[in-house]
Amino acid sequence: MAKVHLTDGAVTQDVLVIGLAFKQAHPEKLVIESGVLTLDEKTLLSVLGDLGATGKADEIIKLPGTSTRLIAFTGLGVEKKKYPHEVLRRASGAASRDLAGNKSVAFSLPTDDIESIAAIAEGAVLGAYSFDEFRGSTKAAQREPISEITVHTNFATKTEAKAAAKRAVIVGQYTTLVRDLINMPPSHLTPTTFTQLISQAVTLAGGSAAGLKVSIWDEKQLKAQGFGGITGVGQGSANPPRLLHISYTPTKYKKKFAYVGKGITFDSGGLALKPAAGMEAMKSDMSGAAAVCAAVLAIATLKLPIAIDSWAPLAENMVSDTATRPSDIITIYGGKTVEVLNPDAEGRLVLADALSKAIEIGRKGKSTLDGIIDVATLTGAQVVALGTRTSAVMTNDENFSATFLAATQQSGEAFWPMPLPEELRASLDSPVADLANIGDRMGGMLVAGLFLKDFIPSDLPWLHLDIAGPAYNEGTAHGYTPVGGTGIAMRSLVTLAENLSK
Ligand code: BES
Ligand code: MN
Ligand code: ZN
């Protein structure tokens, strides 16, 4: 993990990163945004003009430096008095990605508040990512991510600035965990190895001394205790299913929330086999589980005074003579029966089990659950509706949703509210069971949300996050987002916990 430093002193790093904007009314007029540093702007602007620089987002222009080997200009877009934090986060992330192969990089961008420093540091850390674990002979040829990040700012000695730098490293570390788990091939990431990797991460985060506790259900316990969703989805695979629970209980806390993430380590579609083209992306079908597990560890590392229970129902959805057949009926934890009309609508089945268990544990005794959030790569319909970069939020509680959406504004993750229209619920009725696992194809994302809603008590604030598109970047890298696992939802879950523990 890259280190983050703050300074108000001289530039001594290998590379200097500076912002480059353009004037709204005259896009050909470039503006250098160098924060606390003063540069010879006239000369630089003339060279940048000759090179055809535009100052647009995701543009990186590198020149030989004077005090540094290189000076890199990162696009900020339209010139602003105050740049939105996400603009700074993306610009520093794009530079950080582009500068892989260099070691120490100085970032001098406008830092008019602590949040700007936080955003620059976070973007730089998030852009310094690579996944080379499975490279053999081509590993040596890979450029190493930058390892020393220095943010130039007048606030360098402020306590809040130092805390922001520290937080950026923690956020970077746990985003890396999410991305690594997503990128890891299903040959190596099975339900069992997922629990092992998370158990190791829990130990590294301080284990019981940090208020963390892990519980794991194996396939026998799942079957015996009535987890028909996880069991049914996992029964076609040689790699048996698991249920993973991480609880974080600080010594003092006022509120308690549960996070539940879909953990399908590979979704072949089961007997409703998916087409071969694009099936490889289904190694990312455990992105929700990775996000909720990493989020609770980040929250524990930040020592937030809020109790969080993270749950990951883990299974591999495969094809075999033991796989669930279309028309099979399963019993979800708690007793509701589901007719599995389509084994490819498996995420809602494992989530129904885990949500039911999370609610049972969360509401046991005198402890009360203040809210529950599930995170899932649930439907292709999500991608059709909102594209690959905007996730959906569905809810039974508008206040909870508004609180979450405010947190996403801070984290810079794009989420958009979607409805749960009551009239679509009837399409999930089954002639033989309590409900079916598929309904109307039109509005498929909402139908999936309505399926889950059936397992949530109406007095419990609940959010359903469908991250199907944004979890896995099959396009090109942009801003601080690499190709492959993106880590989406983790940062918003952490920011929400920060806001709720205030
Ligand atoms: N994991 C998929 C959803 C998905 C699709 C995630 C594309 C990421 C990218 C999910 O299990 C699935 O197969 N959903 C079906 C549901 C349908 C059978 C009702 C879908 O969306 O086609
Ligand atoms: Mn599926
Ligand atoms: Zn799936």
Side-chain angles (χ1 to χ4, degrees), residues 257-261 292 295 299 308-311 372-373 493-494 496-497:
F257 287 83
Y259 294 167
V260 181
V292 301
I299 289 163
I308 304 284
D309 272 321
S310 278
W311 295 84
I372 190 163
I373 305 179
L493 292 173
V494 173
L496 177 73

Side-chain angles (χ1 to χ4, degrees), residues 226-284:
F227 292 92
I230 303 172
T231 302
V233 173
Q235 73 190 27
S237 172
N239 300 306
R242 293 287 183 267
L243 174 62
L244 171 67
H245 174 209
I246 310 168
S247 67
Y248 165 58
T249 319
T251 36
K252 271 195 200 135
Y253 68 90
K254 288 198 200 93
K255 291 191 183 115
K256 183 160 100 177
F257 287 83
Y259 294 167
V260 181
K262 172 178 173 180
I264 301 299
T265 54
F266 189 73
D267 182 10
S268 72
L271 284 171
L273 191 64
K274 288 183 182 292
M279 201 202 274
E280 69 281 359
M282 285 302 118
K283 73 170 179 179
S284 67

Side-chain angles (χ1 to χ4, degrees), residues 153-176:
T153 170
N154 280 331
F155 301 130
T157 53
K158 274 210 160 193
T159 319
E160 296 93 328
K162 287 180 193 161
K166 213 172 146 193
R167 181 188 181 279
V169 175
I170 294 168
V171 164
Q173 183 188 342
Y174 287 106
T175 300
T176 294

Side-chain angles (χ1 to χ4, degrees), residues 90-406:
R90 289 185 189 184
S92 78
S96 167
R97 257 193 315 104
D98 185 274
L99 292 168
N102 295 281
K103 209 167 156 269
S104 64
V105 179
F107 291 80
S108 192
L109 295 157
T111 56
D112 28 36
D113 53 17
I114 301 291
E115 288 77 26
S116 316
I117 301 170
I120 294 163
E122 202 174 286
V125 164
L126 294 173
Y129 175 80
S130 69
F131 185 72
D132 294 331
E133 217 181 305
F134 291 86
R135 286 187 187 276
S137 57
T138 57
K139 191 163 185 161
Q142 299 303 308
R143 294 184 303 160
E144 293 244 352
I146 65 170
S147 53
E148 301 285 341
I149 292 158
T150 304
V151 180
H152 284 256
T153 170
N154 280 331
F155 301 130
T157 53
K158 274 210 160 193
T159 319
E160 296 93 328
K162 287 180 193 161
K166 213 172 146 193
R167 181 188 181 279
V169 175
I170 294 168
V171 164
Q173 183 188 342
Y174 287 106
T175 300
T176 294
L177 176 61
V178 183
R179 291 173 178 172
D180 282 352
L181 287 168
I182 298 171
N183 292 333
M184 198 169 285
S187 49
H188 292 69
L189 189 76
T190 64
T192 308
T193 60
F194 188 108
T195 62
Q196 289 163 348
L197 289 167
I198 291 296
S199 299
Q200 280 169 23
V202 168
T203 306
L204 281 175
S208 56
L212 292 163
K213 190 172 168 279
V214 182
S215 317
I216 299 161
W217 284 254
D218 67 18
E219 73 274 26
K220 286 194 196 108
Q221 294 164 319
L222 288 169
K223 199 169 177 191
Q225 293 172 33
F227 292 92
I230 303 172
T231 302
V233 173
Q235 73 190 27
S237 172
N239 300 306
R242 293 287 183 267
L243 174 62
L244 171 67
H245 174 209
I246 310 168
S247 67
Y248 165 58
T249 319
T251 36
K252 271 195 200 135
Y253 68 90
K254 288 198 200 93
K255 291 191 183 115
K256 183 160 100 177
F257 287 83
Y259 294 167
V260 181
K262 172 178 173 180
I264 301 299
T265 54
F266 189 73
D267 182 10
S268 72
L271 284 171
L273 191 64
K274 288 183 182 292
M279 201 202 274
E280 69 281 359
M282 285 302 118
K283 73 170 179 179
S284 67
D285 213 17
M286 32 52 68
S287 298
V292 301
C293 291
V296 68
L297 297 186
I299 289 163
T301 308
L302 290 165
K303 299 189 169 62
L304 299 182
I306 183 168
I308 304 284
D309 272 321
S310 278
W311 295 84
L314 300 156
E316 195 182 38
N317 191 21
M318 297 295 275
V319 194
S320 77
D321 58 344
T322 59
T324 299
R325 292 155 290 249
S327 77
D328 275 356
I329 294 179
I330 60 169
T331 305
I332 301 297
Y333 188 83
K336 266 195 186 145
T337 58
V338 177
E339 184 184 14
V340 182
L341 292 176
N342 190 327
D344 197 12
E346 83 298 340
R348 57 198 79 183
L349 304 176
V350 300
L351 284 172
D353 264 353
L355 283 164
S356 304
K357 186 69 184 175
I359 293 163
E360 179 198 282
I361 296 288
R363 296 194 142 183
K364 209 152 109 184
K366 49 184 192 321
S367 58
T368 54
L369 203 52
D370 293 292
I372 190 163
I373 305 179
D374 73 74
V375 189
T377 47
L378 205 60
T379 64
Q382 184 280 321
V383 200
V384 176
L386 293 171
T388 54
R389 295 194 193 176
T390 305
S391 303
V393 189
M394 283 149 272
T395 189
N396 63 357
D397 184 316
E398 292 304 328
N399 282 329
F400 193 22
S401 176
T403 306
F404 178 75
L405 286 167

Side-chain angles (χ1 to χ4, degrees), residues 14-53:
D14 299 338
V15 187
L16 172 62
V17 174
I18 297 293
L20 187 65
F22 60 85
K23 289 204 177 286
Q24 174 113 55
H26 300 279
E28 73 289 352
K29 285 204 179 125
L30 299 173
V31 182
I32 288 176
E33 297 283 12
S34 56
V36 293
L37 297 184
T38 318
L39 304 176
D40 175 7
E41 295 197 2
K42 212 174 149 216
T43 317
L44 287 168
L45 282 171
S46 111
V47 178
L48 287 165
D50 292 346
L51 286 168

